């Protein structure tokens, strides 16, 4: 009897230990499974967070197209905007306008040319009487703006005959056609004599003067005027509008084509 009792106790203890070990294994396995599930979820969330973090900088780095486009017009003055609008609408260059205008007056030579809107051209133009050269007079006919919008571009040219008599010729800066041609009847005898002397003294053509100015500043020629400068030298005053829409006026010596003065209008 003393031998059987220890054997029974030993079996009981072994069974208890096995059950305890089994429970421990179940607990450990559950913990491992739970840990694995949490790691997987953490990894997935971390991946999504990383992808979102990468996406945000990419979005902020992309430039705004509206920012750069709106900055340019805001930096221009009213005068620069007007020059841009006028030049952008112009199809006929200064040299073609000269050829057309001079062709309206027999033996004539250009003494003045300016690009302006049809409205400004009408305001500047005076009411002339019938021209003795046979050119049609605009008196009683529609205004130069009649066939074009007020903001449409026109070349307004002054062409002088050998006698010094001036004629005002409007050329459509889009089609290149003559809008009107008429004689300036307000000239005095002395004015005609002065003009005749100037066109004789000018050795440089307006086209040559324009090329001399363009050699100094690339851009668009918008005006040419044969006149005396402050020193009494006969020059071609030539306006050139650059890509920034600023205008530079050059004084081109009408005898030798040299640039004697230049001034930029920053407005």
């Amino acid at each position: 009897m003393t031998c059987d009792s220890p054997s029974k106790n030993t079996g009981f203890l072994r069974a208890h230990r096995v059950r305890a070990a089994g429970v421990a294994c179940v607990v450990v396995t559950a913990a491992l499974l739970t840990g694995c599930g949490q790691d997987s979820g953490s990894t997935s969330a971390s991946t999504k967070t990383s992808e979102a973090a990468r996406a945000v900088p990419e979005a902020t780095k992309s430039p705004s197209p509206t920012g750069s486009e709106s900055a340019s017009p805001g930096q221009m003055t009213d005068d620069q905007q007007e020059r841009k609008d006028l030049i952008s609408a112009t199809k006929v260059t200064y040299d073609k306008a000269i050829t057309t205008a001079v062709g309206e007056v027999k033996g004539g030579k250009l003494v003045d040319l300016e690009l302006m809107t049809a409205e400004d051209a009408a305001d500047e133009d005076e009411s002339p009487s019938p021209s003795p050269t046979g050119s049609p007079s605009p008196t009683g006919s529609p205004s130069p703006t009649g066939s074009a919008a007020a903001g449409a571009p026109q070349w307004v040219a002054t062409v002088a005959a050998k006698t010094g008599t001036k004629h005002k010729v409007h050329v459509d800066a889009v089609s290149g056609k003559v809008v009107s041609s008429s004689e300036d009847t307000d000239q005095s005898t002395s004015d005609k004599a002065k003009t005749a002397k100037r066109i004789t003294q000018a050795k440089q053509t307006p086209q040559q003067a324009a090329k001399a100015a363009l050699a100094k500043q690339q851009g668009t020629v918008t005006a040419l005027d044969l006149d005396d400068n402050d020193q009494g030298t006969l020059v071609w005053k030539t306006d050139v509008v650059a890509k920034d829409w600023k205008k530079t006026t050059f004084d081109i010596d009408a005898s030798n084509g040299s640039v004697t003065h230049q001034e930029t209008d920053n407005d």
Side-chain angles (χ1 to χ4, degrees):
M1 293 194 52
T2 55
C3 293
D4 293 338
S5 178
S7 175
K8 290 179 180 180
N9 290 337
T10 301
F12 174 80
L13 290 175
R14 286 178 180 174
H16 182 72
R17 288 173 182 171
V18 169
R19 287 195 298 269
V23 172
C25 288
V26 170
V27 172
V28 171
T29 301
L32 289 175
L33 290 174
T34 303
C36 289
Q38 290 177 347
D39 288 345
S40 177
S42 300
T43 302
S44 176
S46 176
T47 301
K48 292 180 180 178
T49 302
S50 177
E51 291 176 352
R54 287 197 301 271
V56 171
E58 289 176 358
T60 55
K61 287 179 182 177
S62 59
S64 172
T66 56
S68 57
E69 290 177 2
S70 60
S72 179
Q75 295 174 354
M76 287 193 293
T77 65
D78 291 341
D79 289 342
Q80 288 173 330
Q81 185 63 52
E82 289 178 3
R83 295 185 195 115
K84 179 182 178 181
D85 294 341
L86 188 62
I87 293 174
S88 298
T90 299
K91 305 300 180 184
V92 178
T93 56
Y94 76 93
D95 50 341
K96 292 181 179 179
I98 292 174
T99 301
T100 301
V102 170
E104 289 294 301
V105 181
K106 185 177 180 180
K109 291 187 178 181
L110 183 88
V111 294
D112 185 73
L113 179 72
E114 185 175 358
L115 179 66
M116 61 181 71
T117 64
E119 182 178 21
D120 289 341
D123 291 340
E124 182 182 276
D125 201 15
E126 297 177 351
S127 298
S129 59
S131 170
T133 60
S135 300
S137 171
T139 304
S141 61
S143 164
T145 60
S147 59
Q154 278 190 11
W155 287 105
V156 179
T158 302
V159 181
K162 291 181 179 180
T163 58
T165 303
K166 294 180 180 179
H167 297 259
K168 189 63 67 73
V169 183
H170 293 255
V171 179
D172 190 305
V174 177
S175 67
K177 296 181 179 180
V178 174
V179 178
S180 65
S181 178
S182 57
E183 180 184 324
D184 182 358
T185 58
D186 289 338
Q187 282 184 277
S188 64
T189 302
S190 60
D191 287 340
K192 291 180 181 180
K194 186 176 182 179
T195 300
K197 183 180 179 180
R198 281 179 175 174
I199 60 178
T200 301
Q201 291 177 332
K203 304 303 179 183
Q204 296 290 309
T205 66
Q207 292 91 334
Q208 289 174 323
K211 289 180 180 180
L214 291 172
K216 293 290 184 179
Q217 173 66 66
Q218 293 185 347
T220 302
V221 174
T222 58
L224 287 156
D225 182 24
L226 184 63
D227 198 2
D228 295 331
N229 63 10
D230 295 338
Q231 290 72 41
T233 303
L234 186 63
V235 298
W236 282 104
K237 290 186 176 295
T238 308
D239 289 348
V240 177
V241 177
K243 291 182 178 180
D244 57 4
W245 310 112
K246 293 181 180 179
K247 180 183 70 176
T248 300
T249 300
F250 296 89
D251 285 357
I252 311 297
D253 193 309
S255 62
N256 56 32
S258 63
V259 178
T260 61
H261 180 73
Q262 70 180 71
E263 184 176 351
T264 300
D265 182 359
N266 290 315
D267 292 334

PDB file of all heavy atoms in Angstrom, residues 223-251:
ATOM      1  N   ALA A 223       6.935 104.257 -86.200  1.00  0.00           N
ATOM      2  CA  ALA A 223       6.844 105.654 -86.633  1.00  0.00           C
ATOM      3  C   ALA A 223       8.166 106.113 -87.249  1.00  0.00           C
ATOM      4  O   ALA A 223       9.242 105.671 -86.837  1.00  0.00           O
ATOM      5  CB  ALA A 223       6.472 106.558 -85.463  1.00  0.00           C
ATOM      6  N   LEU A 224       8.047 107.018 -88.239  1.00  0.00           N
ATOM      7  CA  LEU A 224       9.195 107.661 -88.890  1.00  0.00           C
ATOM      8  C   LEU A 224       8.806 109.110 -89.167  1.00  0.00           C
ATOM      9  O   LEU A 224       7.694 109.369 -89.654  1.00  0.00           O
ATOM     10  CB  LEU A 224       9.541 106.955 -90.204  1.00  0.00           C
ATOM     11  CG  LEU A 224      10.217 105.585 -90.112  1.00  0.00           C
ATOM     12  CD1 LEU A 224       9.947 104.780 -91.390  1.00  0.00           C
ATOM     13  CD2 LEU A 224      11.718 105.761 -89.899  1.00  0.00           C
ATOM     14  N   ASP A 225       9.710 110.035 -88.851  1.00  0.00           N
ATOM     15  CA  ASP A 225       9.390 111.451 -89.044  1.00  0.00           C
ATOM     16  C   ASP A 225      10.657 112.211 -89.438  1.00  0.00           C
ATOM     17  O   ASP A 225      11.658 112.179 -88.713  1.00  0.00           O
ATOM     18  CB  ASP A 225       8.813 112.023 -87.749  1.00  0.00           C
ATOM     19  CG  ASP A 225       8.414 113.484 -87.882  1.00  0.00           C
ATOM     20  OD1 ASP A 225       8.148 113.925 -89.030  1.00  0.00           O
ATOM     21  OD2 ASP A 225       8.362 114.188 -86.853  1.00  0.00           O
ATOM     22  N   LEU A 226      10.608 112.863 -90.589  1.00  0.00           N
ATOM     23  CA  LEU A 226      11.740 113.667 -91.068  1.00  0.00           C
ATOM     24  C   LEU A 226      11.613 115.060 -90.466  1.00  0.00           C
ATOM     25  O   LEU A 226      10.696 115.818 -90.797  1.00  0.00           O
ATOM     26  CB  LEU A 226      11.723 113.734 -92.602  1.00  0.00           C
ATOM     27  CG  LEU A 226      12.895 114.465 -93.263  1.00  0.00           C
ATOM     28  CD1 LEU A 226      14.220 113.752 -92.971  1.00  0.00           C
ATOM     29  CD2 LEU A 226      12.670 114.568 -94.777  1.00  0.00           C
ATOM     30  N   ASP A 227      12.553 115.393 -89.585  1.00  0.00           N
ATOM     31  CA  ASP A 227      12.440 116.660 -88.860  1.00  0.00           C
ATOM     32  C   ASP A 227      13.823 117.094 -88.370  1.00  0.00           C
ATOM     33  O   ASP A 227      14.778 116.302 -88.364  1.00  0.00           O
ATOM     34  CB  ASP A 227      11.489 116.491 -87.673  1.00  0.00           C
ATOM     35  CG  ASP A 227      10.973 117.809 -87.138  1.00  0.00           C
ATOM     36  OD1 ASP A 227      11.323 118.864 -87.701  1.00  0.00           O
ATOM     37  OD2 ASP A 227      10.220 117.777 -86.138  1.00  0.00           O
ATOM     38  N   ASP A 228      13.913 118.346 -87.926  1.00  0.00           N
ATOM     39  CA  ASP A 228      15.160 118.849 -87.354  1.00  0.00           C
ATOM     40  C   ASP A 228      15.213 118.498 -85.875  1.00  0.00           C
ATOM     41  O   ASP A 228      14.189 118.592 -85.168  1.00  0.00           O
ATOM     42  CB  ASP A 228      15.257 120.377 -87.518  1.00  0.00           C
ATOM     43  CG  ASP A 228      15.343 120.803 -88.976  1.00  0.00           C
ATOM     44  OD1 ASP A 228      15.869 120.011 -89.784  1.00  0.00           O
ATOM     45  OD2 ASP A 228      14.887 121.917 -89.297  1.00  0.00           O
ATOM     46  N   ASN A 229      16.390 118.119 -85.377  1.00  0.00           N
ATOM     47  CA  ASN A 229      16.535 117.871 -83.945  1.00  0.00           C
ATOM     48  C   ASN A 229      16.848 119.193 -83.232  1.00  0.00           C
ATOM     49  O   ASN A 229      16.834 120.271 -83.841  1.00  0.00           O
ATOM     50  CB  ASN A 229      17.600 116.809 -83.681  1.00  0.00           C
ATOM     51  CG  ASN A 229      18.989 117.239 -84.135  1.00  0.00           C
ATOM     52  OD1 ASN A 229      19.227 118.406 -84.491  1.00  0.00           O
ATOM     53  ND2 ASN A 229      19.921 116.306 -84.129  1.00  0.00           N
ATOM     54  N   ASP A 230      17.144 119.112 -81.953  1.00  0.00           N
ATOM     55  CA  ASP A 230      17.401 120.326 -81.159  1.00  0.00           C
ATOM     56  C   ASP A 230      18.629 121.088 -81.628  1.00  0.00           C
ATOM     57  O   ASP A 230      18.751 122.292 -81.383  1.00  0.00           O
ATOM     58  CB  ASP A 230      17.554 119.952 -79.681  1.00  0.00           C
ATOM     59  CG  ASP A 230      16.272 119.393 -79.087  1.00  0.00           C
ATOM     60  OD1 ASP A 230      15.191 119.682 -79.659  1.00  0.00           O
ATOM     61  OD2 ASP A 230      16.342 118.660 -78.086  1.00  0.00           O
ATOM     62  N   GLN A 231      19.537 120.402 -82.285  1.00  0.00           N
ATOM     63  CA  GLN A 231      20.752 121.047 -82.782  1.00  0.00           C
ATOM     64  C   GLN A 231      20.590 121.562 -84.214  1.00  0.00           C
ATOM     65  O   GLN A 231      21.529 122.097 -84.800  1.00  0.00           O
ATOM     66  CB  GLN A 231      21.945 120.081 -82.726  1.00  0.00           C
ATOM     67  CG  GLN A 231      22.430 119.746 -81.315  1.00  0.00           C
ATOM     68  CD  GLN A 231      21.473 118.831 -80.574  1.00  0.00           C
ATOM     69  OE1 GLN A 231      20.922 117.891 -81.153  1.00  0.00           O
ATOM     70  NE2 GLN A 231      21.275 119.110 -79.296  1.00  0.00           N
ATOM     71  N   GLY A 232      19.405 121.394 -84.763  1.00  0.00           N
ATOM     72  CA  GLY A 232      19.146 121.868 -86.109  1.00  0.00           C
ATOM     73  C   GLY A 232      19.576 120.906 -87.195  1.00  0.00           C
ATOM     74  O   GLY A 232      19.564 121.264 -88.386  1.00  0.00           O
ATOM     75  N   THR A 233      19.932 119.675 -86.813  1.00  0.00           N
ATOM     76  CA  THR A 233      20.336 118.658 -87.786  1.00  0.00           C
ATOM     77  C   THR A 233      19.108 117.908 -88.288  1.00  0.00           C
ATOM     78  O   THR A 233      18.238 117.526 -87.495  1.00  0.00           O
ATOM     79  CB  THR A 233      21.326 117.660 -87.152  1.00  0.00           C
ATOM     80  OG1 THR A 233      22.462 118.363 -86.655  1.00  0.00           O
ATOM     81  CG2 THR A 233      21.782 116.625 -88.174  1.00  0.00           C
ATOM     82  N   LEU A 234      19.048 117.693 -89.581  1.00  0.00           N
ATOM     83  CA  LEU A 234      17.921 116.960 -90.154  1.00  0.00           C
ATOM     84  C   LEU A 234      18.067 115.476 -89.835  1.00  0.00           C
ATOM     85  O   LEU A 234      19.085 114.852 -90.167  1.00  0.00           O
ATOM     86  CB  LEU A 234      17.874 117.171 -91.672  1.00  0.00           C
ATOM     87  CG  LEU A 234      16.658 116.585 -92.399  1.00  0.00           C
ATOM     88  CD1 LEU A 234      15.375 117.255 -91.929  1.00  0.00           C
ATOM     89  CD2 LEU A 234      16.815 116.733 -93.908  1.00  0.00           C
ATOM     90  N   VAL A 235      17.067 114.913 -89.181  1.00  0.00           N
ATOM     91  CA  VAL A 235      17.124 113.515 -88.761  1.00  0.00           C
ATOM     92  C   VAL A 235      15.802 112.811 -89.069  1.00  0.00           C
ATOM     93  O   VAL A 235      14.769 113.456 -89.260  1.00  0.00           O
ATOM     94  CB  VAL A 235      17.409 113.384 -87.244  1.00  0.00           C
ATOM     95  CG1 VAL A 235      18.758 113.974 -86.882  1.00  0.00           C
ATOM     96  CG2 VAL A 235      16.287 114.035 -86.419  1.00  0.00           C
ATOM     97  N   TRP A 236      15.901 111.493 -89.114  1.00  0.00           N
ATOM     98  CA  TRP A 236      14.710 110.657 -89.146  1.00  0.00           C
ATOM     99  C   TRP A 236      14.457 110.201 -87.715  1.00  0.00           C
ATOM    100  O   TRP A 236      15.237 109.425 -87.156  1.00  0.00           O
ATOM    101  CB  TRP A 236      14.905 109.437 -90.043  1.00  0.00           C
ATOM    102  CG  TRP A 236      14.792 109.678 -91.511  1.00  0.00           C
ATOM    103  CD1 TRP A 236      15.807 109.760 -92.422  1.00  0.00           C
ATOM    104  CD2 TRP A 236      13.579 109.858 -92.255  1.00  0.00           C
ATOM    105  NE1 TRP A 236      15.321 109.982 -93.681  1.00  0.00           N
ATOM    106  CE2 TRP A 236      13.944 110.048 -93.621  1.00  0.00           C
ATOM    107  CE3 TRP A 236      12.225 109.883 -91.924  1.00  0.00           C
ATOM    108  CZ2 TRP A 236      13.005 110.245 -94.630  1.00  0.00           C
ATOM    109  CZ3 TRP A 236      11.296 110.086 -92.926  1.00  0.00           C
ATOM    110  CH2 TRP A 236      11.683 110.265 -94.259  1.00  0.00           C
ATOM    111  N   LYS A 237      13.389 110.696 -87.111  1.00  0.00           N
ATOM    112  CA  LYS A 237      13.024 110.234 -85.765  1.00  0.00           C
ATOM    113  C   LYS A 237      12.266 108.920 -85.948  1.00  0.00           C
ATOM    114  O   LYS A 237      11.187 108.898 -86.556  1.00  0.00           O
ATOM    115  CB  LYS A 237      12.170 111.274 -85.052  1.00  0.00           C
ATOM    116  CG  LYS A 237      12.948 112.528 -84.671  1.00  0.00           C
ATOM    117  CD  LYS A 237      12.100 113.472 -83.839  1.00  0.00           C
ATOM    118  CE  LYS A 237      12.919 114.666 -83.382  1.00  0.00           C
ATOM    119  NZ  LYS A 237      14.002 114.285 -82.452  1.00  0.00           N
ATOM    120  N   THR A 238      12.841 107.854 -85.415  1.00  0.00           N
ATOM    121  CA  THR A 238      12.324 106.504 -85.667  1.00  0.00           C
ATOM    122  C   THR A 238      11.951 105.820 -84.361  1.00  0.00           C
ATOM    123  O   THR A 238      12.782 105.689 -83.456  1.00  0.00           O
ATOM    124  CB  THR A 238      13.372 105.660 -86.405  1.00  0.00           C
ATOM    125  OG1 THR A 238      13.833 106.369 -87.555  1.00  0.00           O
ATOM    126  CG2 THR A 238      12.808 104.324 -86.832  1.00  0.00           C
ATOM    127  N   ASP A 239      10.687 105.394 -84.259  1.00  0.00           N
ATOM    128  CA  ASP A 239      10.219 104.681 -83.063  1.00  0.00           C
ATOM    129  C   ASP A 239      10.287 103.177 -83.292  1.00  0.00           C
ATOM    130  O   ASP A 239       9.805 102.670 -84.306  1.00  0.00           O
ATOM    131  CB  ASP A 239       8.775 105.055 -82.738  1.00  0.00           C
ATOM    132  CG  ASP A 239       8.644 106.483 -82.220  1.00  0.00           C
ATOM    133  OD1 ASP A 239       9.677 107.094 -81.905  1.00  0.00           O
ATOM    134  OD2 ASP A 239       7.495 106.972 -82.136  1.00  0.00           O
ATOM    135  N   VAL A 240      10.886 102.475 -82.319  1.00  0.00           N
ATOM    136  CA  VAL A 240      10.969 101.013 -82.361  1.00  0.00           C
ATOM    137  C   VAL A 240      10.405 100.464 -81.050  1.00  0.00           C
ATOM    138  O   VAL A 240      10.849 100.852 -79.963  1.00  0.00           O
ATOM    139  CB  VAL A 240      12.419 100.533 -82.549  1.00  0.00           C
ATOM    140  CG1 VAL A 240      12.479  98.999 -82.515  1.00  0.00           C
ATOM    141  CG2 VAL A 240      13.001 101.053 -83.852  1.00  0.00           C
ATOM    142  N   VAL A 241       9.432  99.570 -81.144  1.00  0.00           N
ATOM    143  CA  VAL A 241       8.843  98.935 -79.966  1.00  0.00           C
ATOM    144  C   VAL A 241       9.454  97.547 -79.814  1.00  0.00           C
ATOM    145  O   VAL A 241       9.374  96.717 -80.726  1.00  0.00           O
ATOM    146  CB  VAL A 241       7.311  98.831 -80.090  1.00  0.00           C
ATOM    147  CG1 VAL A 241       6.731  98.090 -78.885  1.00  0.00           C
ATOM    148  CG2 VAL A 241       6.698 100.222 -80.202  1.00  0.00           C
ATOM    149  N   ALA A 242      10.073  97.310 -78.667  1.00  0.00           N
ATOM    150  CA  ALA A 242      10.758  96.040 -78.415  1.00  0.00           C
ATOM    151  C   ALA A 242       9.777  94.979 -77.922  1.00  0.00           C
ATOM    152  O   ALA A 242       8.571  95.225 -77.788  1.00  0.00           O
ATOM    153  CB  ALA A 242      11.870  96.250 -77.394  1.00  0.00           C
ATOM    154  N   LYS A 243      10.298  93.781 -77.628  1.00  0.00           N
ATOM    155  CA  LYS A 243       9.453  92.667 -77.193  1.00  0.00           C
ATOM    156  C   LYS A 243       8.800  92.914 -75.839  1.00  0.00           C
ATOM    157  O   LYS A 243       7.790  92.296 -75.520  1.00  0.00           O
ATOM    158  CB  LYS A 243      10.276  91.372 -77.139  1.00  0.00           C
ATOM    159  CG  LYS A 243      10.688  90.868 -78.521  1.00  0.00           C
ATOM    160  CD  LYS A 243      11.456  89.560 -78.405  1.00  0.00           C
ATOM    161  CE  LYS A 243      11.830  89.031 -79.785  1.00  0.00           C
ATOM    162  NZ  LYS A 243      12.587  87.756 -79.689  1.00  0.00           N
ATOM    163  N   ASP A 244       9.398  93.807 -75.027  1.00  0.00           N
ATOM    164  CA  ASP A 244       8.790  94.134 -73.737  1.00  0.00           C
ATOM    165  C   ASP A 244       7.760  95.251 -73.869  1.00  0.00           C
ATOM    166  O   ASP A 244       7.256  95.758 -72.879  1.00  0.00           O
ATOM    167  CB  ASP A 244       9.861  94.533 -72.712  1.00  0.00           C
ATOM    168  CG  ASP A 244      10.708  95.719 -73.185  1.00  0.00           C
ATOM    169  OD1 ASP A 244      10.411  96.280 -74.266  1.00  0.00           O
ATOM    170  OD2 ASP A 244      11.667  96.084 -72.480  1.00  0.00           O
ATOM    171  N   TRP A 245       7.501  95.666 -75.137  1.00  0.00           N
ATOM    172  CA  TRP A 245       6.504  96.669 -75.494  1.00  0.00           C
ATOM    173  C   TRP A 245       6.892  98.078 -75.057  1.00  0.00           C
ATOM    174  O   TRP A 245       6.052  98.968 -74.988  1.00  0.00           O
ATOM    175  CB  TRP A 245       5.117  96.297 -74.957  1.00  0.00           C
ATOM    176  CG  TRP A 245       4.739  94.904 -75.302  1.00  0.00           C
ATOM    177  CD1 TRP A 245       4.599  93.850 -74.455  1.00  0.00           C
ATOM    178  CD2 TRP A 245       4.466  94.377 -76.617  1.00  0.00           C
ATOM    179  NE1 TRP A 245       4.275  92.707 -75.134  1.00  0.00           N
ATOM    180  CE2 TRP A 245       4.181  93.010 -76.480  1.00  0.00           C
ATOM    181  CE3 TRP A 245       4.438  94.939 -77.901  1.00  0.00           C
ATOM    182  CZ2 TRP A 245       3.866  92.180 -77.556  1.00  0.00           C
ATOM    183  CZ3 TRP A 245       4.128  94.110 -78.971  1.00  0.00           C
ATOM    184  CH2 TRP A 245       3.855  92.756 -78.790  1.00  0.00           C
ATOM    185  N   LYS A 246       8.173  98.265 -74.743  1.00  0.00           N
ATOM    186  CA  LYS A 246       8.679  99.612 -74.479  1.00  0.00           C
ATOM    187  C   LYS A 246       9.121 100.238 -75.804  1.00  0.00           C
ATOM    188  O   LYS A 246       9.611  99.546 -76.689  1.00  0.00           O
ATOM    189  CB  LYS A 246       9.849  99.569 -73.500  1.00  0.00           C
ATOM    190  CG  LYS A 246       9.455  99.127 -72.088  1.00  0.00           C
ATOM    191  CD  LYS A 246      10.644  99.128 -71.157  1.00  0.00           C
ATOM    192  CE  LYS A 246      10.255  98.687 -69.747  1.00  0.00           C
ATOM    193  NZ  LYS A 246      11.425  98.665 -68.833  1.00  0.00           N
ATOM    194  N   LYS A 247       8.954 101.548 -75.906  1.00  0.00           N
ATOM    195  CA  LYS A 247       9.269 102.252 -77.156  1.00  0.00           C
ATOM    196  C   LYS A 247      10.566 103.042 -77.015  1.00  0.00           C
ATOM    197  O   LYS A 247      10.759 103.760 -76.036  1.00  0.00           O
ATOM    198  CB  LYS A 247       8.125 103.204 -77.528  1.00  0.00           C
ATOM    199  CG  LYS A 247       8.360 103.985 -78.810  1.00  0.00           C
ATOM    200  CD  LYS A 247       7.215 104.956 -79.072  1.00  0.00           C
ATOM    201  CE  LYS A 247       7.216 106.102 -78.087  1.00  0.00           C
ATOM    202  NZ  LYS A 247       6.172 107.106 -78.366  1.00  0.00           N
ATOM    203  N   THR A 248      11.443 102.896 -78.008  1.00  0.00           N
ATOM    204  CA  THR A 248      12.682 103.671 -78.059  1.00  0.00           C
ATOM    205  C   THR A 248      12.671 104.530 -79.319  1.00  0.00           C
ATOM    206  O   THR A 248      12.410 104.027 -80.414  1.00  0.00           O
ATOM    207  CB  THR A 248      13.918 102.755 -78.076  1.00  0.00           C
ATOM    208  OG1 THR A 248      13.923 101.948 -76.890  1.00  0.00           O
ATOM    209  CG2 THR A 248      15.199 103.577 -78.118  1.00  0.00           C
ATOM    210  N   THR A 249      12.947 105.824 -79.147  1.00  0.00           N
ATOM    211  CA  THR A 249      12.989 106.744 -80.275  1.00  0.00           C
ATOM    212  C   THR A 249      14.447 107.029 -80.626  1.00  0.00           C
ATOM    213  O   THR A 249      15.236 107.441 -79.761  1.00  0.00           O
ATOM    214  CB  THR A 249      12.267 108.063 -79.948  1.00  0.00           C
ATOM    215  OG1 THR A 249      10.900 107.784 -79.627  1.00  0.00           O
ATOM    216  CG2 THR A 249      12.315 109.011 -81.131  1.00  0.00           C
ATOM    217  N   PHE A 250      14.796 106.798 -81.884  1.00  0.00           N
ATOM    218  CA  PHE A 250      16.155 107.027 -82.365  1.00  0.00           C
ATOM    219  C   PHE A 250      16.177 108.236 -83.301  1.00  0.00           C
ATOM    220  O   PHE A 250      15.268 108.424 -84.113  1.00  0.00           O
ATOM    221  CB  PHE A 250      16.674 105.798 -83.140  1.00  0.00           C
ATOM    222  CG  PHE A 250      16.806 104.561 -82.304  1.00  0.00           C
ATOM    223  CD1 PHE A 250      15.738 103.684 -82.154  1.00  0.00           C
ATOM    224  CD2 PHE A 250      17.998 104.258 -81.669  1.00  0.00           C
ATOM    225  CE1 PHE A 250      15.864 102.533 -81.391  1.00  0.00           C
ATOM    226  CE2 PHE A 250      18.135 103.107 -80.898  1.00  0.00           C
ATOM    227  CZ  PHE A 250      17.059 102.243 -80.763  1.00  0.00           C
ATOM    228  N   ASP A 251      17.227 109.036 -83.178  1.00  0.00           N
ATOM    229  CA  ASP A 251      17.476 110.105 -84.141  1.00  0.00           C
ATOM    230  C   ASP A 251      18.530 109.596 -85.113  1.00  0.00           C
ATOM    231  O   ASP A 251      19.683 109.369 -84.722  1.00  0.00           O
ATOM    232  CB  ASP A 251      17.984 111.374 -83.441  1.00  0.00           C
ATOM    233  CG  ASP A 251      16.867 112.121 -82.714  1.00  0.00           C
ATOM    234  OD1 ASP A 251      15.710 111.680 -82.806  1.00  0.00           O
ATOM    235  OD2 ASP A 251      17.176 113.135 -82.049  1.00  0.00           O
TER     236      ASP A 251
END
